[in-house]
Amino acid sequence: QVQLVESGGGLVQAGGSLRLSCAASENISRFITMDWYRQAPGKQRQLVERINRGGGTNYADSAKGRFTISRDNAKNTVYLQMNSLKPEDTAVYYCKALTQTEYREGVSGSWGQGTQVTVSS
């Protein structure tokens, strides 16, 4: 199973920026989608951004205009550039990868361990 390692989280003031990275242990071109999720204390994990193998993207309403997902196949890494951060963006951010086989079988895919993002007001 692929290993996903997130990094780049931290403490930032409202209005600031962070870039999260998700480094995979294998070639990311084999994944049909790679996602960023987040989970705030006491809340369910929610999808923030998705990028598919062809480079197409999907954004949650909360992220539109502020967050940008991208991928570097040569580095086997997916990024989440977060600008104009708000206190409500505070959460643990997780990376997820899904293969075609996992999609057909209804399996959730592989998750990273998460990186904490805290936005102060």
Side-chain angles (χ1 to χ4, degrees):
Q1 193 173 22
V2 63
Q3 302 299 312
L4 301 172
V5 179
E6 300 96 333
S7 62
L11 174 64
V12 64
Q13 288 188 330
S17 299
L18 283 174
R19 189 176 81 154
L20 306 184
S21 299
C22 171
S25 60
E26 52 190 84
N27 190 340
I28 63 171
S29 62
R30 66 185 290 261
F31 302 114
I32 58 171
T33 58
M34 293 195 74
D35 305 333
W36 283 100
Y37 280 76
R38 69 185 183 187
Q39 187 167 20
K43 295 188 177 181
Q44 287 190 329
R45 196 172 294 189
Q46 59 178 198
L47 178 66
V48 177
E49 303 260 353
R50 170 169 291 160
I51 188 164
N52 63 38
R53 189 155 48 193
T57 58
N58 295 97
Y59 297 77
D61 287 342
S62 60
K64 285 180 181 176
R66 300 189 300 127
F67 295 0
T68 303
I69 191 170
S70 61
R71 59 193 292 162
D72 186 335
N73 289 345
K75 295 183 178 180
N76 292 324
T77 300
V78 174
Y79 303 98
L80 184 66
Q81 178 67 44
M82 304 188 296
N83 299 327
S84 302
L85 283 161
K86 305 174 183 179
E88 51 263 45
D89 294 318
T90 295
V92 178
Y93 283 71
Y94 297 90
C95 179
K96 193 188 93 166
L98 186 71
T99 66
Q100 182 72 49
T101 300
E102 290 168 338
Y103 174 75
R104 283 200 304 264
E105 296 179 352
V107 178
S108 66
S110 301
W111 293 86
Q113 83 290 345
T115 185
Q116 176 71 46
V117 171
T118 303
V119 184
S120 63
S121 57

